[in-house]
Amino acid sequence: MTATVKYDEVEVGQELPAKTYPVQRVDLVKYAGASGDFNPIHWDEPFAKSVGLPDVIAHGMFTMAQGGRYVTDWAGDPSAVVDYGVRFSSMVVVPHDDGTEIEISGVIEDKLDDNRVVVALTARSGGQKVLTRAKATVRLA
């Protein structure tokens, strides 16, 4: 595959459309199975509250994966992402009945050689920024 976004069609400072990803507890259980991380803070509400958390929380790597999903959806090719990193800044709390949402947006921060761009991401949930220093380097067409 090749990225569907063209290098010549993006500019530094260009904002990418925000996208919202719903998160339900079942998503966390599926992620636990895929990742092998069965820590009960991610699925057992009484346990999570007993250790001082407000409720069940999403895995940090699940949250990071939503940022990666955002970038690959935008680029049109998962293999276009050549580097990706984040810092975790707040928890994604996932209430039982309604779940929550993670909203992710991006901006082209830099254009590099070899058709690569740096995309700075913003991820929020429950009014809090949940990822900081979130950046992906993407090779475009």
Side-chain angles (χ1 to χ4, degrees):
M1 289 182 75
T2 302
T4 57
V5 178
K6 299 197 180 345
Y7 181 82
D8 294 337
E9 295 175 357
V10 298
E11 296 299 328
V12 172
Q14 179 180 334
E15 294 183 14
L16 308 182
K19 189 159 183 186
T20 300
Y21 299 93
V23 183
Q24 299 291 324
R25 295 229 180 133
V26 68
D27 299 315
L28 304 183
V29 172
K30 290 189 285 187
Y31 185 83
S35 69
D37 181 354
F38 292 99
N39 187 324
I41 63 173
H42 303 303
W43 56 270
D44 184 334
E45 184 175 332
F47 180 83
K49 289 181 175 180
S50 79
V51 297
L53 295 171
D55 209 325
V56 165
I57 61 170
H59 304 74
M61 296 303 285
F62 174 88
T63 304
M64 182 179 180
Q66 300 316 301
R69 177 181 174 191
Y70 174 83
V71 173
T72 60
D73 286 352
W74 169 74
D77 177 8
S79 69
V81 178
V82 296
D83 190 42
Y84 177 51
V86 307
R87 291 202 182 209
F88 305 107
S89 56
S90 188
M91 299 175 285
V92 175
V93 178
V94 185
H96 176 69
D97 290 334
D98 297 327
T100 193
E101 295 177 332
I102 301 171
E103 182 184 78
I104 303 177
S105 60
V107 64
I108 305 297
E109 185 175 83
D110 199 5
K111 289 183 82 170
L112 309 171
D113 294 334
D114 197 24
N115 284 22
R116 293 174 300 136
V117 297
V118 177
V119 180
L121 303 172
T122 299
R124 296 186 173 281
S125 182
Q128 298 288 322
K129 196 171 186 182
V130 295
L131 299 176
T132 58
R133 298 185 188 179
K135 294 184 183 195
T137 303
V138 183
R139 182 170 287 113
L140 301 178

